Amino acid sequence: MKNAMVALTVALYFAALPARADFAAGAKAYDGGDYKTAFAEWSVLAESGDSDAQVALAGLYRHGLGRDYDMVQAAIWYRRAAEQGDVIGQLNLGEFHLTGARVKRNPVEAYMWLSLSAARGNDWAVAKRNELSVHLTRDQLSRAMPRINAWRPRPPANAGH
């Protein structure tokens, strides 16, 4: 039984390698300024639930690299990553809610996402959350705290498919 578990673990590890290789190919293309290829590489991974690829796609949309500038699509991809627990996705989604960048400006929502990212050690999120906290009312904080405490990451939308 133990050997079967080890074999299964090794098989799963190697099954995941091509997906990481595709992310690496996207990163290499991105670093070389080939944003269309980066987008193509990361799109498949993002659709399959890879939060790193989702954040990468959001960045391409946010800055208009390899596609049209599209803050709505950037927000969608940041949200998908954030909901899975991706620290960078949470940071960016929090900033979007803080500024109203193609999502409804919502300081409670911003505080929640920034706090979740901050709790995982993101220094930028800590600073942004602390800046925001001095402007929140007691009511806003009392609405944010239970959401923060109850939050749990969601599996990717396609999990199990």
Side-chain angles (χ1 to χ4, degrees):
M1 181 68 172
K2 185 177 178 182
N3 287 341
M5 290 302 292
V6 170
L8 177 61
T9 302
V10 170
L12 289 173
Y13 172 78
F14 284 111
L17 286 180
R20 295 312 319 159
D22 290 343
F23 189 88
K28 184 176 180 182
Y30 179 91
D31 289 344
D34 184 359
Y35 305 119
K36 289 181 191 257
T37 298
F39 183 87
E41 293 288 344
W42 290 334
S43 290
V44 174
L45 293 171
E47 288 290 344
S48 72
D50 184 299
S51 65
D52 291 333
Q54 291 167 348
V55 167
L57 274 189
L60 293 175
Y61 279 114
R62 184 178 194 171
H63 301 289
L65 300 172
R67 22 217 52 305
D68 291 337
Y69 170 83
D70 189 338
M71 292 297 274
V72 171
Q73 283 298 313
I76 288 168
W77 286 109
Y78 282 140
R79 178 170 296 283
R80 286 181 70 179
E83 288 176 346
Q84 291 180 71
D86 186 274
V87 174
I88 302 303
Q90 292 170 339
L91 165 68
N92 283 290
L93 187 58
E95 286 187 318
F96 273 33
H97 280 289
L98 183 61
T99 62
R102 291 301 189 197
V103 296
K104 182 180 178 191
R105 188 174 188 286
N106 183 332
V108 172
E109 190 85 359
Y111 187 82
M112 183 193 86
W113 289 114
L114 292 170
S115 293
L116 291 169
S117 182
R120 304 249 330 268
N122 186 288
D123 292 336
W124 185 272
V126 170
K128 288 292 187 182
R129 180 207 54 206
N130 292 346
E131 286 174 26
L132 174 58
S133 68
V134 299
H135 300 288
L136 294 178
T137 65
R138 180 171 279 158
D139 177 62
Q140 288 172 319
L141 283 171
S142 70
R143 286 186 284 137
M145 294 313 293
R147 292 183 65 203
I148 294 165
N149 293 330
W151 185 86
R152 299 292 178 269
R154 293 184 186 169
N158 69 340
H161 295 304

